[in-house]
Amino acid sequence: MIVQAAITGWGKCLPPGVLNNHDLSTLVDTSDEWIVSRTGMKERRISHVDVSDLAYVACARALACAGKGADQVDMIIFGGCSNDTQVPNSSSRVQQLLGANNAACMDLNTACTSGMYAMSVANAMIQAGTIRSALIIGAEVISPFMDWTDRNVAILFGDGAAAFYLEADDSGEEIGLQAEALGCYGDSRDILAVEGVGLKYANLGWPLGSTHWNFEGQNIFKQAIKGMYTGCQQAIEKQGIAKSDINVVVPHQANLRIIELLANRLELPEAKLFVNVHRYGNMSAATAPVALVEAVEEGVVESGSLILVPAFGAGLTWSAQLIRWGKRCTPINDCDIDLPPTSMSGLELVKQCLKAHGQYKAPVK
Ligand code: UT7
């Protein structure tokens, strides 16, 4: 009998600072109308704390949801690409904040797909018997790395985190991750590149924190649909199911048009799609995990639902997971852990980033 990795805890952490489309139109030449019609996005969140702080709160909530203590975690996998420190890694800071002293800690970076790749890694390690439990995280604080002067990218991204608690289940029930497909279009990796982040740039004397995004939007758009479609087809084939068996599709939320075209190509009804892109924009590694948490919280995912989660990101990495949800859709315990409060708005936090990069110019009255 194959041990299954049941998902028994889930939690999210969205920073309180809201940046809406009107705020963005005071920074770059754009409009609410353009952003909504081209992307479906209305708001995104901007963090006043480090990414590991968001990840910690999401993990504390996932643990409470599962009714587990911090000592019941064998492995923490932090999925994301905006770590507050490179060495030591972000998962070790989450371990420290949780007091999860029995956990091994690893960081995993496949950009926007990192949270879902983390789920695949933890699932495989539980099935192999290496570990019995894991906290997997998709978290990003992209705002300090954003080029807030470039309207092509500044409107698209936000900050956030989500986490899941996975535990070995010997009941023989088919629950948790049932099939997945993972891939990467490495030949096209340069069409989505954040120049300025990484040792390569430090060695060139690039000012710390200052970035330029190579972002070929239309090309990425096409590759995103191709990658997610391929992943979905492969996962469905591996599992030997009919598309009609899928109850909910929780895709990476990079653009509402991408989501709708993907559903159309997969011949899946839009009614099965879970969409929250209007609330948070694209949170990279946190996107699909936050969407999955919200699909459960909002009752879209029900006991025993079969969920398809396609994702796509820089690299160009792609993934698709087929997940069978367990019986329980409500948390065992509540969690009173939260972020430290802030009085700063999303726009004020962005202006702080611009000032740090020497780019903020007060508008001429
Ligand atoms: O998670 C990683 C994966 N990311 C993605 O998958 C993103 C994929 N790409 C996209 O979602 C879309 O390509 C974008 C939303 C980035 C852009 O939408 P688009 O429909 O492909 O627009 P476009 O780049 O073709 O630009 C159309 C026009 C251009 O003006 P002209 O040349 O027609 O005069 C742009 O300069 O819109 C202009 N434009 C804007 N206008 C107002 C570009 N950005 C903006 C903006 N506000 N923010």
Side-chain angles (χ1 to χ4, degrees):
M1 184 183 67
I2 300 173
V3 175
Q4 305 279 307
I7 303 170
T8 57
W10 52 94
K12 64 179 182 187
C13 178
L14 282 317
V18 174
L19 183 74
N20 65 31
N21 293 347
H22 296 291
D23 295 329
L24 278 162
S25 69
T26 68
L27 296 170
V28 288
D29 182 14
T30 192
S31 64
D32 177 54
E33 193 275 328
W34 191 96
I35 300 173
V36 172
S37 63
R38 299 292 178 123
T39 70
M41 297 172 188
K42 292 181 179 162
E43 295 180 352
R44 62 289 294 142
R45 300 297 178 91
I46 305 296
S47 185
H48 61 297
V49 295
D50 289 337
V51 69
S52 44
D53 296 310
L54 298 186
Y56 157 62
V57 174
C59 283
R61 291 173 179 171
L63 276 179
C65 175
K68 300 289 178 185
D71 57 338
Q72 291 168 291
V73 185
D74 290 349
M75 170 69 83
I76 299 172
I77 308 181
F78 174 96
C81 56
S82 54
N83 312 54
D84 36 67
T85 60
Q86 196 69 38
V87 181
N89 64 10
S90 297
S91 46
S92 58
R93 178 140 192 274
V94 175
Q95 191 226 46
Q96 184 185 43
L97 292 169
L98 287 171
N101 300 333
N102 300 327
C105 293
M106 93 167 74
D107 285 14
L108 183 158
N109 171 8
T110 58
C112 298
T113 57
S114 306
M116 299 315 297
Y117 266 64
M119 185 179 282
S120 284
V121 172
N123 182 70
M125 291 181 82
I126 288 172
Q127 291 200 323
T130 316
I131 53 172
R132 294 281 295 171
S133 61
L135 272 171
I136 66 114
I137 303 160
E140 287 314 347
V141 172
I142 300 168
S143 48
F145 304 107
M146 178 47 64
D147 179 352
W148 290 108
T149 66
D150 181 356
R151 71 176 182 177
N152 291 302
V153 286
I155 60 144
L156 295 174
F157 292 91
D159 303 332
F164 296 95
Y165 182 79
L166 273 57
E167 59 181 300
D169 183 298
D170 307 307
S171 68
E173 261 184 89
E174 291 187 350
I175 45 172
L177 184 53
Q178 298 299 297
E180 77 256 270
L182 309 174
C184 178
Y185 302 136
D187 284 349
S188 302
R189 68 194 289 273
D190 294 331
I191 69 170
L192 204 181
V194 184
E195 296 177 342
V197 182
L199 267 184
K200 175 182 164 183
Y201 301 100
N203 290 339
L204 291 170
W206 200 290
L208 193 66
S210 173
T211 59
H212 171 262
W213 288 55
N214 252 356
F215 195 89
E216 294 180 25
Q218 289 189 3
N219 204 349
I220 300 167
F221 192 103
K222 288 181 200 143
Q223 303 261 30
I225 293 174
K226 185 176 137 197
M228 290 196 282
Y229 175 78
T230 305
C232 290
Q233 290 288 77
Q234 287 183 6
I236 288 167
E237 218 166 281
K238 269 190 203 171
Q239 193 60 7
I241 55 156
K243 284 179 189 163
S244 54
D245 293 332
I246 297 165
N247 303 108
V248 189
V249 184
V250 183
H252 178 56
Q253 315 269 324
N255 187 322
L256 183 59
R257 289 185 294 143
I258 293 179
I259 295 171
E260 287 171 351
L261 284 167
L262 176 67
N264 188 275
R265 216 173 142 194
L266 285 167
E267 295 171 341
L268 284 166
E270 283 186 19
K272 289 194 176 182
L273 288 174
F274 183 82
V275 176
N276 66 357
V277 69
H278 51 290
R279 286 201 281 267
Y280 308 122
N282 181 352
M283 297 175 286
S284 180
T287 307
V290 168
L292 183 52
V293 169
E294 294 200 339
V296 179
E297 288 173 345
E298 293 175 23
V300 176
V301 166
E302 296 176 333
S303 179
S305 286
L306 186 61
I307 311 155
L308 178 63
V309 187
F312 183 82
L316 302 171
T317 62
W318 51 264
S319 61
Q321 270 87 2
L322 263 175
I323 299 165
R324 175 73 69 188
W325 202 255
K327 284 195 185 67
R328 187 167 50 81
C329 297
T330 50
I332 291 181
N333 294 322
D334 290 334
C335 176
D336 55 8
I337 292 174
D338 211 338
L339 296 175
T342 176
S343 58
M344 291 181 79
S345 68
L347 186 58
E348 285 166 340
L349 288 161
V350 168
K351 285 180 181 171
Q352 203 175 51
C353 294
L354 279 161
K355 275 187 193 138
H357 301 168
Q359 288 171 323
Y360 179 63
K361 293 180 195 76
V364 182
K365 288 199 178 148

